[in-house]
Amino acid sequence: MFALYAAISLVPVLVLGIALAASLRGEAQRRGLAEGRSEAQLIARTAVEPALSARPVSAGLNARERRQLRQMTTSAVANRDVLRLRIRDLSGTVVFSNDGSDVGHNDHDDDALDAAQGEVSADLTHLNADFHDVDPGPASVEVYQPLTAGAGARRRVGVLELYLPYAPISRDISSGLHRLYLDLAVGLGFLYLALFLITASVSRGLRREAALNAYLAEHDTLTQLPNRTYFHRRAVDAVAFAVRHNESVALAIVDLDRFKEVNDTLGHHNGDRLLTELALRLSANMRPGDMVARLGGDEFGLIVRDVEEAEPALRRLLEIIDREVDIDGLPLSVQASMGFVIAPEDGTDVDVLLQRADVAMYVAKAQHVGVARYDEALDQYDADCLALVSELRRGIDAGELLLHYQPQSTLVDNRVRAIEALVRWEHPTHGLLSPDRFVPLAEPTDVIDKLTRWVLREALTDLRALAPSDDELCVAVNVSARSIVRTSFAHDVLETLEDLQMPAGRLIIEVTETALLVDPERAARVLTTLANAGVKISLDDFGTGHTSLGYLSALPLHELKIDRTFIADMLHNSAHAAIVRSIIDLGHNLELRVVGEGVESNHVLASLHDSGCDIAQGFLLARPMPRDEIERWLVQTPSAAQAA
């Protein structure tokens, strides 16, 4: 009887348990669909939409859009975060699919058409459920998410069709059911408590995960500052508010100077610690209503609402950044360059404003003024130029650069004593580019350091092949202001010489007066280190800068190169002729060789000879030549044969 009662009593408990289990399964599935919608929105906002232009996808995706989408989907599919990703136009036609399925096909799916109208839908399905002759594939959450693009008032340009794995959600459901069945054995009361705890735990976990995902989508994980996505959205809001209320707002870009040296010298972990400390300082010194974000690498973005105080506020932040930071007992300090724009005066499109702030930052960096406001007259960084800088980094690695060499001959005995290395770029679409097309663009960036290292090694390698046993023939390499003040530059040069087993005396480092004035003390230290090792130092374009005679005498120089502007018309311009003679006398009084460059006629050559100039360089002697041509020239030219 007891057994029968127990069995009968067990029936409602089992029925209730089954009902509760079904309820839990349904709730978990609903939460799974909600999580799928949230993840699809995150992927759309942070990965897909930034890769699209403002035009509807029905117009077709360009090569850059397809490349970025394939890179993103390849990684996501490989990590099993996404099973399939398609992009449809607003009529439902598939224009992109990571696995190539259904491209160009329109099945008039109601969910896709609803998404084109702005609705988000999610459903449980199998990956290949729409292919009747193919294995159904794994269970998945199918989500249709509208895609928007364009700055300011964004518009719908297409639909994201996303298949997310349902297996993790299914495992959570199975785990919850297993705990439920165990709890049923100890009674209905404990079952209620267990179900309550499970539901509460799942709910809290989903809320925490959703909150974490939302936070990570908008914040930098290292510094905890807002990231580029969040900064862009806040900038759009700030500019729109300023326009509506007839006010102004300043947007600024901050870039740390020579931060790469910290990473290279002390390691990336110390570089990260320095960035974290600087982020804390910037955050602590933001005024109410202003904002700081980390845009990536060593670049920060600022929103300053009081435009009257924008430049003074930015200069105060520069001083704060410049203060020493103690890293493991080592005091470190970095400087920064800032460029800013004021909206709506400088524009209202945030993307254009940030590009112009970036231009102003490069101007501040190049002119060493700390802070600069955008000026259209100084904007040399149009879209093509910025693309050229990016392509140069790739071009160096791809072997697209080459060196031409121009000889320098002594005026006393016509011996070739040096060849100057002049870089060229065999661009795949623009053809052969001269250095004035790309070197000035690279100089404000770290690309110039990579370019200088390549030219140095390539020139010394060619010199070793051209004249392996001739200790008199040297190669001259031009060095930018950014490189000459880098503390590790001297070490890099000497290490390259040692690696190639080339005597230091066969290398001439050419540096301009303006480069020396960037940071005179540091430049002098670097040049002294090189000169003490035997490297020859040449002061290029002399006469066009503002080097004081006292500073000139303190530098470890070996030669002066008279700027070509004085040489070109010295026969017709008595003032320039006097300057040339004065520079020659000055150089000889300082026991320096004097080089006249830009020699294009025999009359100029004779005048330089009569004035006592030591060395000539120019088209009259020879134009710059590739390595194989300079090799033949050195052999065939009588004056060159004596040296080579």
Side-chain angles (χ1 to χ4, degrees):
M1 190 67 182
F2 178 81
L4 179 61
Y5 177 78
I8 295 174
S9 301
L10 183 61
V11 171
V13 174
L14 292 175
V15 171
L16 180 58
I18 294 171
L20 290 174
S23 175
L24 178 62
R25 184 186 299 274
E27 178 63 18
Q29 290 180 352
R30 284 191 295 274
R31 292 185 181 277
L33 294 177
E35 183 178 353
R37 284 191 291 268
S38 176
E39 186 170 352
Q41 184 181 38
L42 179 64
I43 292 173
R45 297 291 181 264
T46 62
V48 177
E49 291 179 352
L52 300 177
S53 60
R55 57 192 177 81
V57 298
S58 58
L61 302 179
N62 59 38
R64 178 189 62 81
E65 292 171 326
R66 291 184 179 278
R67 182 173 63 255
Q68 292 186 7
L69 289 171
R70 292 201 179 279
Q71 289 175 349
M72 181 270 294
T73 54
T74 299
S75 174
V77 172
N79 294 330
R80 303 298 295 172
D81 296 325
V82 172
L83 298 178
R84 178 184 293 154
L85 184 148
R86 293 173 176 163
I87 295 178
R88 296 174 179 259
D89 62 21
L90 296 177
S91 68
T93 301
V94 178
V95 299
F96 174 85
S97 175
N98 70 290
D99 57 3
S101 61
D102 282 348
V103 173
H105 179 68
N106 189 336
D107 54 8
H108 302 287
D109 190 288
D110 291 338
D111 291 335
L113 296 177
D114 291 341
Q117 300 301 317
E119 298 182 12
V120 180
S121 64
D123 198 5
L124 297 180
T125 183
H126 287 271
L127 180 61
N128 295 320
D130 49 348
F131 298 112
H132 301 294
D133 56 345
V134 178
D135 181 82
S140 61
V141 179
E142 181 183 19
V143 186
Y144 289 85
Q145 164 76 35
L147 293 172
T148 61
R154 300 171 67 87
R155 61 175 182 171
R156 287 190 293 276
V157 297
V159 173
L160 173 65
E161 178 184 351
L162 196 63
Y163 292 80
L164 302 171
Y166 184 66
I169 302 172
S170 177
R171 284 195 296 271
D172 289 342
I173 296 172
S174 299
S175 176
L177 291 175
H178 181 67
R179 290 195 299 270
L180 175 63
Y181 296 145
L182 291 178
D183 292 339
L184 284 174
V186 297
L188 180 60
F190 190 72
L191 176 62
Y192 288 150
L193 178 61
L195 288 175
F196 174 78
L197 293 176
I198 291 171
T199 304
S201 175
V202 171
S203 178
R204 284 195 301 271
L206 289 172
R207 286 197 299 270
R208 282 196 301 269
E209 186 173 352
L212 178 61
N213 288 339
Y215 180 85
L216 293 178
E218 297 182 338
H219 289 78
D220 173 54
T221 56
L222 174 64
T223 63
Q224 305 306 310
L225 291 177
N227 60 15
R228 181 181 292 272
T229 300
Y230 187 53
F231 176 79
H232 189 280
R233 187 164 71 249
R234 285 287 301 274
V236 169
D237 294 340
V239 172
F241 181 88
V243 171
R244 285 197 306 271
H245 295 82
N246 198 26
E247 296 179 359
S248 299
V249 64
L251 305 181
I253 299 293
V254 184
D255 186 78
L256 302 182
D257 297 336
R258 297 190 295 274
F259 178 74
K260 184 177 183 294
E261 295 178 22
V262 177
N263 281 336
D264 292 345
T265 306
L266 302 178
H268 288 272
H269 63 289
N270 283 321
D272 288 346
R273 293 176 62 183
L274 179 60
L275 283 175
T276 302
E277 174 60 29
L278 294 179
L280 290 173
R281 290 183 182 182
L282 291 172
S283 297
N285 287 275
M286 286 292 102
R287 296 175 300 181
D290 292 351
M291 174 188 176
V292 58
R294 185 189 180 199
L295 305 184
D298 60 350
E299 190 175 69
F300 297 86
L302 300 172
I303 299 176
V304 182
R305 295 190 177 276
D306 187 353
V307 296
E308 298 296 331
E309 285 294 314
E311 185 165 350
L314 294 178
R315 293 198 177 277
R316 286 193 295 270
L317 291 177
L318 279 182
E319 296 176 0
I320 292 170
I321 292 174
D322 191 40
R323 295 172 188 168
E324 289 186 347
V325 178
D326 186 273
I327 303 293
D328 289 338
L330 179 66
L332 297 179
S333 64
V334 293
Q335 295 177 326
S337 299
M338 296 185 179
F340 72 99
V341 293
I342 294 179
E345 184 175 338
D346 293 326
T348 57
D349 186 297
V350 169
D351 291 323
V352 173
L353 287 169
L354 293 179
Q355 180 182 335
R356 291 176 174 176
D358 211 39
V359 167
M361 182 272 293
Y362 279 121
V363 171
K365 192 182 292 286
Q367 298 181 355
H368 305 279
V369 294
V371 178
R373 182 183 170 183
Y374 172 76
D375 184 349
E376 187 176 0
L378 299 176
D379 190 353
Q380 302 174 359
Y381 298 89
D382 58 27
D384 291 338
C385 291
L386 292 173
L388 207 60
V389 174
S390 175
E391 293 172 4
L392 178 58
R393 189 189 305 272
R394 175 201 54 76
I396 296 174
D397 295 331
E400 295 173 0
L401 301 188
L402 67 155
L403 293 181
H404 285 192
Y405 297 94
Q406 188 174 36
Q408 301 173 349
S409 294
T410 60
L411 291 173
V412 174
D413 54 10
N414 292 328
R415 292 172 61 87
V416 176
R417 46 80 62 186
I419 53 176
E420 182 178 358
L422 303 167
V423 66
R424 304 288 190 267
W425 183 6
E426 191 66 59
H427 194 279
T429 57
H430 299 301
L432 188 65
L433 300 182
S434 60
D436 58 356
R437 283 288 307 277
F438 57 91
V439 171
L441 299 174
E443 282 184 335
T445 73
D446 60 354
V447 179
I448 194 65
D449 295 325
K450 186 172 185 177
L451 176 62
T452 301
R453 286 193 295 269
W454 182 89
V455 171
L456 180 68
R457 178 171 288 273
E458 192 74 8
L460 288 170
T461 301
D462 286 349
L463 179 65
R464 184 176 59 180
L466 290 169
S469 59
D470 179 14
D471 289 337
E472 293 186 7
L473 186 63
C474 304
V475 66
V477 174
N478 294 279
V479 177
S480 71
R482 182 184 178 98
S483 296
I484 205 65
V485 298
R486 187 162 50 84
T487 54
S488 61
F489 177 72
H491 174 267
D492 292 344
V493 172
L494 299 179
E495 186 177 57
T496 303
L497 287 166
E498 182 180 0
D499 185 39
L500 297 175
Q501 297 183 345
M502 289 291 290
R506 301 191 66 184
L507 174 64
I508 302 173
I509 292 295
E510 292 193 5
V511 58
T512 63
E513 286 186 88
T514 52
L516 293 178
L517 296 177
V518 169
D519 190 338
E521 293 183 2
R522 183 175 295 188
R525 288 197 300 269
V526 172
L527 294 178
T528 299
T529 301
L530 292 172
N532 290 340
V535 177
K536 298 180 178 67
I537 309 300
S538 175
L539 189 56
D540 196 10
D541 298 339
F542 186 72
T544 59
H546 307 281
T547 306
S548 69
L549 295 181
Y551 180 55
L552 186 65
S553 64
L555 290 171
L557 299 176
H558 297 85
E559 71 178 27
L560 298 179
K561 294 188 73 173
I562 307 174
D563 186 72
R564 65 180 64 247
T565 57
F566 301 118
I567 301 291
D569 63 349
M570 62 180 293
L571 298 180
H572 312 290
N573 188 322
S574 58
H576 282 185
I579 290 174
V580 170
R581 290 192 298 270
S582 298
I583 293 176
I584 293 172
D585 291 340
L586 173 65
H588 290 164
N589 289 332
L590 294 174
E591 298 183 352
L592 304 176
R593 293 188 303 268
V594 180
V595 181
E597 59 178 343
V599 178
E600 298 185 4
S601 73
N602 285 311
H603 296 296
V604 170
L605 184 66
S607 180
L608 287 175
H609 180 276
D610 294 342
S611 300
C613 187
D614 302 300
I615 298 165
Q617 176 182 351
F619 289 172
L620 177 65
L621 282 72
R623 291 180 175 271
M625 297 170 277
R627 193 196 114 168
D628 55 346
E629 292 185 24
I630 192 69
E631 185 174 17
R632 291 193 296 270
W633 189 90
L634 289 171
V635 173
Q636 295 170 0
T637 304
S639 61
Q642 300 175 38

